[in-house]
Amino acid sequence: MQRQHCIHKYLVVSAYGIYGIMLKKITKKNHLLLKDIFFAMAKAYTVEKFDYHIAEVEKIDKRVKDYLMNVGYERWSRAYSTVNETLTMTSNIAESINATLKASRELPVLPLLDYIRQLIGRWNVTNLKNVVESFTDLGKKYDTMLMENLELSHHMKVTPSTSYLYSVLDKGKQRMVFLKDRTCSCRRFQLDELPCAHAWAVLKYKYFDHIEYFSVYYTRKYLLKTYEIPIYPVPDEST
């Protein structure tokens, strides 16, 4: 699981990097429109949805499509990825720090490092406090997503095929949920490692507890472990 997070982070960083290079080397015209479509492609769960957006890109500038094809779709898109990704979309901590250090970059090296230490310490305390004050099985972000998926599942019709394979009718479209492998044909169940709306419909149909069907890394227990390691203060330079 940790390796999957690392690989996924690499893919998303590549998406941001590729977009920047794409603007510099290919076109600046319609860049805002291309930006929205590009990141919609990067986040698309299915090849069908990806292909829909790539067709939009081709209409705007065929050179962009050719460039992205040469880079390799699997390097930056969720739909074509060859690894099982998670739902966390982030560029890495360096991006968060860069945005915060605009004023402090002029400091000498030692004061700058101490500023960064204090900054990360404050983030750590804030995030730990948020988890401690949570009363749900999952972290707040993941619990919100889970409840949104539950809401979407209310009007879906479930038809069993076997004891572990189910067909779910969602707005006229058939989705296949395979509980044993925790997969769904919408691909959200296996990629997010959290019950999608179709999986939720099946779990309700079978009266199964949803707790067994999400990643342990989203749980309150593991989030507490994430922030339990303190950021130690540094003694005064004179000592």
Side-chain angles (χ1 to χ4, degrees), residues 14-166:
S14 296
Y16 279 94
I18 288 168
Y19 178 73
I21 295 172
M22 185 174 71
L23 284 182
K24 292 177 181 178
K25 292 190 174 183
I26 296 181
T27 179
K28 290 185 178 180
K29 184 180 179 181
N30 296 320
H31 69 278
L32 291 178
L33 181 58
L34 281 171
K35 179 179 179 180
D36 291 340
I37 297 173
F38 173 75
F39 285 105
M41 282 192 296
K43 297 177 182 180
Y45 284 87
T46 64
V47 172
E48 291 78 12
K49 192 67 175 178
F50 179 95
D51 290 345
Y52 170 81
H53 290 304
I54 200 69
E56 290 184 309
V57 169
E58 187 174 25
K59 291 178 182 177
I60 297 171
D61 192 327
K62 187 177 183 301
R63 294 174 299 170
V64 174
K65 178 186 176 182
D66 293 340
Y67 170 75
L68 294 175
M69 187 180 296
N70 289 333
V71 168
Y73 295 159
E74 73 284 352
R75 292 186 59 196
W76 52 272
S77 75
R78 178 183 272 153
Y80 280 92
S81 174
T82 55
V83 297
N84 186 17
E85 303 170 16
T86 64
L87 56 81
T88 303
M89 300 290 285
T90 178
S91 53
N92 65 32
I93 193 171
E95 297 296 335
S96 300
I97 293 177
N98 284 338
T100 313
L101 297 182
K102 290 182 180 178
S104 57
R105 288 176 185 172
E106 302 302 321
L107 292 172
V109 173
L110 289 179
L112 174 62
L113 291 176
D114 194 56
Y115 178 89
I116 294 173
R117 178 191 61 77
Q118 293 181 41
L119 173 67
I120 295 177
R122 290 196 299 272
W123 288 350
N124 212 49
V125 170
T126 299
N127 291 333
L128 180 61
K129 182 175 181 289
N130 290 337
V131 178
V132 169
E133 293 176 352
S134 172
F135 297 99
T136 59
D137 294 320
L138 299 178
K140 182 178 179 181
K141 170 185 175 181
Y142 307 107
D143 188 69
T144 298
M145 296 184 68
L146 190 67
M147 292 303 102
E148 288 174 350
N149 289 345
L150 173 61
E151 182 68 25
L152 291 172
S153 72
H154 289 332
H155 302 291
M156 298 180 183
K157 181 180 179 182
V158 177
T159 303
S161 178
T162 68
S163 60
Y164 48 82
L165 181 62
Y166 299 84

